[in-house]
Amino acid sequence: MRLMSTRGPDSAGPGGRPPGTPRESPARRGHASGAPPLPDEDEDEGRDSLIDVPGGVRLQKVLAAAGVGSRRHCEELIGEGRVEVDGEIVRRYGARVDPQHQIIRVDGMRIPSRQDMVYLALNKPAGVLTTMSDDRGRPTIADFLGDYPERLYHVGRLDYDTEGLMLLMNDGELAHRLAHPSYGVLKTYLADVPGPLPRDVGRRLLSGVELEDGVASADKFRVVEQAGSRALVELTLHEGRKHIVRRMLAEVGHPVSRLVRTHVGPIALGSQRPGTTRPLTTREIGELYAAVGL
């Protein structure tokens, strides 16, 4: 993720610097590329009150390692006051922080500062168990994850015959919040069902249908297409009871023949091929943090 700079030209007196300021060292000046000069670190002292962490990592290095941008771009973001550490704006290029424990945000969005964290999107095929092992030898999601030494948590479950987007991570707190219905993270599904659909099917699903374990209602519903005896519908809901989408559609008389999860909160399956995984981007991880108030 590269955050665009909105930095304006530096004000300067005659000769390119305010009167009375020390001359800039050649190593810090812009070169033939035209890049703007960066202030010396000692000139930035006192611009904020963040206490440096002994043995910590320079803030711009942490930002670059998290995928925010180049080291130079990250220094520009710091200078523009767009970076926060534990809620405090930091303007020193040499500030040292603890990426393992401190919360760092850029433009208000939290970044994944810990280098040992893993965040993945998997397009689970049908006929695969949402578990890491099976004593009967059936395919599991572990077969598609490769060799990760970290213990990965899956966000919610997908039925054996359901395919589509799954999130996996070793961030236990984020995984818990994403899966818990109290945080209201929406999940969207595409379902093949028998057609034609009566006009009131959407109203019934949105108002709630009675199941054996209580009423279940959709947050959103739309008919994507209808053709003869087949229909494709999109259903969005925030709860995750077992087989909930299949049971809701069966209750209104339209049992599911194929079910695909396309979204988990702000993360979309897109064109990702079945059976493949991809790392989430820095922005996607930040959006997940924001979705659950982290």
Side-chain angles (χ1 to χ4, degrees):
M1 175 186 73
R2 183 173 177 86
L3 301 173
M4 297 302 295
S5 172
T6 57
R7 185 177 186 176
D10 294 330
S11 59
R17 56 189 175 90
T21 58
R23 182 174 297 276
E24 189 174 49
S25 64
R28 303 289 292 183
R29 291 181 191 149
H31 299 286
S33 63
L38 294 173
D40 290 326
E41 288 175 8
D42 58 359
E43 292 177 359
D44 281 334
E45 294 298 328
R47 294 177 67 185
D48 61 68
S49 58
L50 182 77
I51 299 175
D52 283 344
V53 175
V57 184
R58 290 185 184 274
L59 180 55
Q60 61 266 40
K61 183 176 180 180
V62 174
L63 296 176
V68 174
S70 68
R71 191 84 62 90
R72 175 88 189 193
H73 178 65
C74 294
E75 289 177 330
E76 292 174 351
L77 294 174
I78 294 170
E80 293 163 5
R82 295 165 62 182
V83 179
E84 298 177 20
V85 179
D86 288 343
E88 180 179 346
I89 294 176
V90 179
R91 296 180 180 273
R92 283 176 291 130
Y93 298 104
R96 292 186 177 274
V97 299
D98 179 0
Q100 294 293 112
H101 299 98
Q102 291 183 295
I103 294 176
I104 302 171
R105 302 179 189 273
V106 177
D107 292 337
M109 180 176 290
R110 183 173 173 179
I111 67 164
S113 56
R114 289 178 54 181
Q115 295 303 295
D116 59 340
M117 303 305 284
V118 177
Y119 302 87
L120 301 174
L122 164 68
N123 185 351
K124 182 186 99 60
V128 173
L129 292 172
T130 303
T131 184
M132 292 299 180
S133 62
D134 179 57
D135 54 10
R136 294 166 55 184
R138 291 173 293 180
T140 71
I141 58 173
D143 299 330
F144 303 94
L145 297 180
D147 297 324
Y148 282 98
E150 301 85 359
R151 178 186 177 187
L152 298 180
Y153 304 93
H154 50 77
V155 177
R157 304 182 68 87
L158 285 180
D159 304 335
Y160 180 75
D161 291 324
T162 300
E163 54 197 286
L165 180 62
M166 289 195 68
L167 301 182
L168 300 108
M169 59 191 68
N170 60 347
D171 188 331
E173 182 179 9
L174 178 58
H176 168 74
R177 292 195 180 199
L178 289 171
H180 201 284
S182 65
Y183 290 95
V185 177
L186 298 176
K187 302 172 184 67
T188 300
Y189 300 80
L190 285 175
D192 274 313
V193 298
L197 296 171
R199 290 187 176 183
D200 69 340
V201 67
R203 177 187 57 78
R204 293 176 62 191
L205 290 167
L206 293 169
S207 61
V209 293
E210 185 71 42
L211 304 177
E212 64 271 18
D213 54 355
V215 175
S217 58
D219 292 86
K220 300 177 184 177
F221 174 83
R222 73 183 181 99
V223 178
V224 178
E225 63 180 48
Q226 290 196 75
S229 61
R230 174 188 172 273
L232 181 66
V233 300
E234 183 180 78
L235 196 68
T236 300
L237 63 166
H238 66 271
E239 65 170 295
R241 280 183 273 172
K242 189 174 183 179
H243 305 304
I244 187 67
V245 175
R246 293 179 183 275
R247 289 192 290 145
M248 289 175 66
L249 288 169
E251 183 64 25
V252 296
H254 295 274
V256 173
S257 58
R258 185 188 179 198
L259 187 62
V260 181
R261 184 159 67 192
T262 61
H263 293 77
V264 175
I267 311 303
L269 181 63
S271 59
Q272 186 175 339
R273 293 183 293 108
T276 62
T277 61
R278 68 171 180 87
L280 298 184
T281 66
T282 302
R283 179 170 292 279
E284 286 176 323
I285 299 168
E287 290 172 345
L288 288 176
Y289 283 136
V292 296
L294 286 175

